[in-house]
Amino acid sequence: MSAAEASERTGTRPVLVLNGPNLGRLGSREPEVYGSTTMADLTEQCVATGRTLGLDVEVRQTDDESELVHWVHEAADGRIPVVLNPAAFTHYSYALRDALAMRTAPLVEVHISNPAARETFRHTSVVAGVADGTVAGFGLTSYRLALEAIAELARAGETGAGQAGSGG
């Protein structure tokens, strides 16, 4: 069952929280940068946050660029908002950027750390130009803030007051 079909049954707005490479290693990967919280903990936090915001959150993680692009296509086809931590794909995946440009619902780029405060190669995001906004540097709180932004953008889009999906 798709995220959209599941949300239709519950009456909540579906949202995909998509995570790129190495984020499945949260808790063990560079804890001084990413903390000790695991992907399972992050998933639980996102689902709980979504519930309070009236969102049906589904969290996914992959190390495979092709799979991530497929999930973005699924979101575009279903008009499903996305919170995306593209991880290393942030800096060079034009395939991901082009898939995101086809989006039909709000998109918030999210990062646990602050890429601008890290190595120079992390300062460029090919995703940022097609996202509604970016939340970075607040640890796992970045995901909560991104979900709050998605909820607001979705509400604005439903009332016709916002430009959700404008890509800028």
Side-chain angles (χ1 to χ4, degrees):
M1 176 181 315
S2 73
E5 291 168 336
S7 292
E8 278 182 28
R9 289 190 344 192
T10 62
T12 56
R13 174 80 184 214
V15 174
L16 292 178
V17 176
L18 305 179
N19 295 279
N22 298 313
L23 289 164
R25 307 278 303 161
L26 283 177
S28 62
R29 177 187 179 215
E30 298 180 79
E32 66 282 0
V33 175
Y34 300 103
S36 59
T37 303
T38 66
M39 178 55 72
D41 297 331
L42 172 63
T43 298
E44 185 177 308
Q45 174 188 309
C46 288
V47 169
T49 297
R51 198 174 301 119
T52 67
L53 296 169
L55 304 173
D56 183 17
V57 173
E58 181 180 343
V59 180
R60 301 177 186 177
Q61 188 278 324
T62 184
D63 296 327
D64 183 329
E65 184 178 25
S66 172
E67 185 170 36
L68 189 56
V69 167
H70 173 75
W71 290 342
V72 169
H73 291 166
E74 175 188 334
D77 292 347
R79 298 187 179 281
I80 301 169
V82 172
V83 170
L84 172 67
N85 186 338
F89 295 144
T90 303
H91 317 295
Y92 69 87
S93 178
Y94 297 107
L96 179 59
R97 183 255 176 243
D98 289 350
L100 292 165
M102 294 183 258
R103 70 193 176 89
T104 56
L107 166 67
V108 176
E109 179 184 8
V110 65
H111 297 281
I112 296 168
S113 67
N114 179 358
R118 297 187 61 199
E119 303 92 339
T120 304
F121 77 89
R122 296 184 193 274
H123 295 181
T124 299
S125 170
V126 299
V127 170
V130 294
D132 288 300
T134 301
V135 180
F138 299 103
L140 297 185
T141 301
S142 294
Y143 284 84
R144 179 180 54 79
L145 296 169
L147 285 166
E148 288 174 1
I150 286 287
E152 185 60 34
L153 289 167
R155 273 193 296 277
E158 288 169 4
T159 63
Q163 293 296 320
S166 65

